[in-house]
Amino acid sequence: MIDTTFTYSSPFPDTFVFGVAAASAQIEGAAFTDGKGESIWDHFSRIPGKVANGDTLDVACDHYHRFDEDFALMASLGVKHYRLSIGWPRIFPQGDGELNPAGLAFYHRLFDSMDRHGITPWVTLFHWDLPQSLEERGGWTSRVTVDAFARYADTVVREFGHRVKNWITLNEIRCFTMLAYGYGTKAPGRRESAAVVNQTFHHALLCHGHGVRAVRAFGGEGARVGLTDNCDVSVPVTESPADIAAAEAWFLDKNLHVLGAIHGKGYAPAYLDRVGADAPRVEPGDFDLIGLPTDFLGLNIYTATYVRAGRSGERYDALSLPPNYPRADSAWLHLVPQAIYWATRMCHELYGHDAIYITENGCGYNDERVVNGEVIDLHRRDYLRNHLREVHRAIADGVPVDGYFLWSFIDNYEWEDGYQRRFGIVHCDFETQVRTPKLSAHYYTDVMRTRTVL
Ligand code: BGP
């Protein structure tokens, strides 16, 4: 039922969550401290030519040693919700095998500090930092990783379940499967066949299921869990019934791998037709796990593809963007704010998700400098404002968007782009570790305070 009293200038609902996001490997640094094992990114970043400027994750934002001041800064900016991830190789340096108590102790200290600063944690169990030891035993191509993840998830949820109530199983499956084992641009940088890549997706889906199972088993009262997906998003060229129907058909087709698979009944016929002999091997009971009901869906939304009705009988026509279409410095990050509106609306209408969080949204630029104590990132303020408008519009249209986490709190290690690509609303000087909130941080503070798109 659409609330007709919710207008363009209405504040966001009282229950709407505003937050910021980051991930263990990207900000913690301390890559080999207190018994942490090597991750595939620690390994990959040392292979010449894989990461811009040969940047490693060794120090990053040194958040491992500075989290207390970082949470003080967050609190001073009015941030009350923070999405972070736990570094698997800190907990189990080899992925399985021996537990590292110092890793658990670190996250206890971190949660203590968040408590003191009045910040609620939203914890992702896996944000890409697979222990290298597991990679050497097959990584995501092997069920060894699934078993190891099940134990890791059980351990983490048992340990922190009394203090963490919002859990995210995995971050962006296609990035650590397809891009990592198919295209080879992300760690571990392999180029495998389609059959192998489809199998990595299947193993990731199983781990998602184990994450849900672990939270149900050990999360305690009030625990909630969901997946964070980076679905391929379509935006209808015109908001006419024909273009909307085309965009929806494209969306369903493109997202068969993950969103189409987590509903528990096995892979969709359309998916099996598409992959043919390259279909993943499925064992009995796999979909009992994969299809476990969740409490919410997390979406990381950055960009989209424009789709219109097919001109000559096709169901849709996906348009390639002209070279002068506006984008951020990340080459893939074309500016399409309506992505948020359409992704959330389609997930609600096509898959029935009734609690959706934007778990990431943001933009990456190079060469953002502190001048006279300020970083005037009006480009990011504009990105943020345009996207928040679309969140607001979705809510006005009855789409259940319950929260928004901005990527990222602070400039950090942007995977193969290293430190040159800045996504933060807080500037990090990687030489001195000095933090400077950018104009966009102050803008977001005002938005969170007034609960209005200012
Ligand atoms: C998402 C990741 C984040 C973050 C962001 C920016 O895919 O979940 O960890 O890195 O994208 O993208 P990138 O660093 O690939 O430019």
Side-chain angles (χ1 to χ4, degrees):
M1 188 64 169
I2 296 176
D3 174 3
T4 49
T5 62
F6 191 89
T7 68
Y8 191 82
S9 48
S10 296
F12 281 84
D14 289 345
T15 49
F16 189 86
V17 167
F18 288 101
V20 294
S24 50
Q26 293 177 272
I27 60 165
E28 285 175 4
F32 302 97
T33 301
D34 291 340
K36 177 183 165 285
E38 186 186 35
S39 79
I40 53 173
W41 277 93
D42 294 320
H43 189 88
F44 182 76
S45 64
R46 286 179 162 72
I47 303 173
K50 297 296 186 191
V51 172
N53 306 314
D55 289 342
T56 70
L57 306 80
D58 294 6
V59 179
C61 308
D62 196 28
H63 181 67
Y64 192 86
H65 300 109
R66 295 167 194 260
F67 60 81
D68 210 43
E69 65 184 80
D70 285 340
F71 294 138
L73 178 57
M74 261 186 214
S76 76
L77 291 169
V79 173
K80 296 195 166 52
H81 296 267
Y82 173 44
R83 174 178 175 237
L84 67 149
S85 73
I86 299 226
W88 185 349
R90 285 201 195 284
I91 310 298
F92 288 105
Q94 307 300 310
D96 48 12
E98 222 166 296
L99 178 72
N100 177 30
L104 294 176
F106 165 66
Y107 289 105
H108 275 299
R109 293 198 299 281
L110 191 115
F111 292 133
D112 286 344
S113 173
M114 288 179 72
D115 262 1
R116 282 197 301 280
H117 291 100
I119 300 167
T120 302
W122 294 65
V123 174
T124 308
L125 288 169
F126 180 70
H127 198 128
W128 306 359
D129 41 359
L130 186 76
Q132 174 66 17
S133 162
L134 284 173
E135 174 54 30
E136 281 157 19
R137 290 175 276 156
W140 285 103
T141 71
S142 162
R143 278 183 97 106
V144 168
T145 295
V146 178
D147 295 341
F149 180 86
R151 179 159 167 246
Y152 159 69
D154 285 353
T155 306
V156 167
V157 180
R158 269 181 206 259
E159 183 75 23
F160 301 113
H162 63 290
R163 55 195 321 176
V164 174
K165 291 298 164 191
N166 304 293
W167 295 95
I168 292 159
T169 54
L170 307 174
N171 182 68
E172 300 193 354
I173 290 178
R174 73 194 63 202
C175 285
F176 65 85
T177 57
M178 191 168 67
L179 300 186
Y181 291 82
Y183 299 170
T185 51
K186 297 210 183 286
R190 288 164 61 174
R191 285 168 165 270
E192 304 286 352
S193 66
V196 171
V197 172
N198 292 334
Q199 197 65 39
T200 63
F201 269 96
H202 186 68
H203 294 153
L205 291 169
L206 284 169
C207 288
H208 161 67
H210 275 300
V212 178
R213 180 196 53 69
V215 172
R216 298 287 178 244
F218 307 116
E221 207 183 325
R224 304 164 72 221
V225 62
L227 173 72
T228 277
D229 187 40
N230 58 330
C231 52
D232 279 323
V233 181
S234 50
V235 164
V237 174
T238 66
E239 296 192 353
S240 62
D243 282 356
I244 292 172
E248 287 177 349
W250 184 95
F251 185 84
L252 285 170
D253 272 5
K254 283 287 172 181
N255 293 299
L256 284 168
H257 263 79
V258 177
L259 290 179
I262 58 174
H263 298 284
K265 301 174 193 78
Y267 286 113
Y271 172 77
L272 293 172
D273 279 356
R274 183 195 298 163
V275 295
D278 295 328
R281 287 183 314 280
V282 177
E283 292 187 7
D286 281 0
F287 272 92
D288 297 341
L289 265 179
I290 293 171
L292 282 174
T294 55
D295 303 303
F296 60 84
L297 175 70
L299 294 177
N300 290 358
I301 305 292
Y302 288 91
T303 190
T305 297
Y306 285 100
V307 176
R308 64 183 177 192
R311 293 291 155 106
S312 32
E314 308 88 3
R315 289 188 305 149
Y316 48 71
D317 182 10
L319 304 179
S320 35
L321 290 168
N324 50 0
Y325 188 92
R327 66 164 174 83
D329 284 343
S330 304
W332 54 271
L333 212 168
H334 292 98
L335 307 181
V336 193
Q338 307 113 84
I340 284 209
Y341 177 83
W342 286 103
T344 54
R345 180 168 150 178
M346 287 188 202
C347 285
H348 175 55
E349 292 183 352
L350 304 177
Y351 297 112
H353 290 287
D354 55 13
I356 300 171
Y357 291 87
I358 303 301
T359 40
E360 284 181 29
N361 173 243
C363 53
Y365 289 90
N366 305 342
D367 290 329
E368 293 183 327
R369 284 156 210 258
V370 182
V371 179
N372 298 330
E374 283 198 289
V375 181
I376 307 287
D377 59 340
L378 285 165
H379 44 293
R380 183 168 293 99
R381 172 265 181 210
D382 205 46
Y383 182 99
L384 176 54
R385 187 179 195 285
N386 290 338
H387 284 78
L388 285 170
R389 268 261 65 96
E390 295 294 323
V391 176
H392 193 271
R393 178 185 169 209
I395 296 170
D397 279 2
V399 180
V401 192
D402 294 339
Y404 174 93
F405 291 81
L406 194 155
W407 184 273
S408 181
F409 171 61
I410 187 167
D411 297 336
N412 60 50
Y413 186 84
E414 288 296 342
W415 309 114
E416 66 272 27
D417 294 324
Y419 296 108
Q420 70 180 4
R421 187 67 35 77
R422 295 176 177 274
F423 271 80
I425 53 170
V426 171
H427 181 274
C428 182
D429 181 325
F430 294 105
E431 300 291 314
T432 61
Q433 292 296 341
V434 168
R435 278 82 162 123
T436 309
K438 305 178 190 176
L439 180 146
S440 57
H442 299 303
Y443 175 78
Y444 194 42
T445 295
D446 289 345
V447 168
M448 290 186 287
R449 183 174 47 77
T450 58
R451 309 185 68 77
T452 307
V453 186
L454 292 169

